[in-house]
Amino acid sequence: MTTSPPSRDAATPDPRRDSLIDYPCAFPIKVMGLRVDGFELAMTDIARRHDPGFDASTLEIRQSKGGNYLGVTLTVQATSRAQLDALYLELTGHPLVKVVL
């Protein structure tokens, strides 16, 4: 005997439709911060805390024209909105980070 999923009425939100992202997926995050020793390592450590399989060799790094800032693109394997929210919170709370996109 098979059971069908419970029916939803129009007032009950479908969590799968609350996001434009299809999980799991590769998700790039751009982080801009001060160009200091350890910035790349700190961003890699944060990415690994939220995506244990994060591959640091995929890190993309760009220096600002003036040389004072670094732009780092972290491509993580996103599995949920909660995971991405936690990652963004940790990145934006880091003292060397200026902007997270």
Side-chain angles (χ1 to χ4, degrees), residues 1-43:
M1 179 171 160
T2 62
T3 59
S4 59
S7 63
R8 293 184 181 272
D9 59 40
T12 305
D14 183 347
R16 294 168 296 179
R17 294 179 186 232
D18 288 344
S19 177
L20 298 174
I21 301 169
D22 282 330
Y23 299 103
C25 66
F27 192 85
I29 299 172
K30 294 187 187 275
V31 183
M32 286 158 263
L34 297 173
R35 183 176 165 245
V36 296
D37 289 340
F39 180 74
E40 297 164 44
L41 180 59
M43 298 305 104

Side-chain angles (χ1 to χ4, degrees), residues 2-100:
T2 62
T3 59
S4 59
S7 63
R8 293 184 181 272
D9 59 40
T12 305
D14 183 347
R16 294 168 296 179
R17 294 179 186 232
D18 288 344
S19 177
L20 298 174
I21 301 169
D22 282 330
Y23 299 103
C25 66
F27 192 85
I29 299 172
K30 294 187 187 275
V31 183
M32 286 158 263
L34 297 173
R35 183 176 165 245
V36 296
D37 289 340
F39 180 74
E40 297 164 44
L41 180 59
M43 298 305 104
T44 299
D45 287 346
I46 292 171
R48 279 198 180 116
R49 277 196 286 280
H50 298 275
D51 174 12
F54 176 73
D55 181 2
S57 71
T58 65
L59 206 67
E60 295 176 34
I61 302 164
R62 291 205 171 112
Q63 193 175 136
S64 68
K65 288 182 184 181
N68 296 322
Y69 297 93
L70 281 180
V72 175
T73 301
L74 308 164
T75 302
V76 297
Q77 185 66 22
T79 57
S80 69
R81 179 172 180 167
Q83 175 210 27
L84 289 178
D85 287 348
L87 175 56
Y88 272 90
L89 270 174
E90 187 168 356
L91 288 169
T92 57
H94 195 282
L96 297 177
V97 173
K98 299 298 180 191
V99 177
V100 180

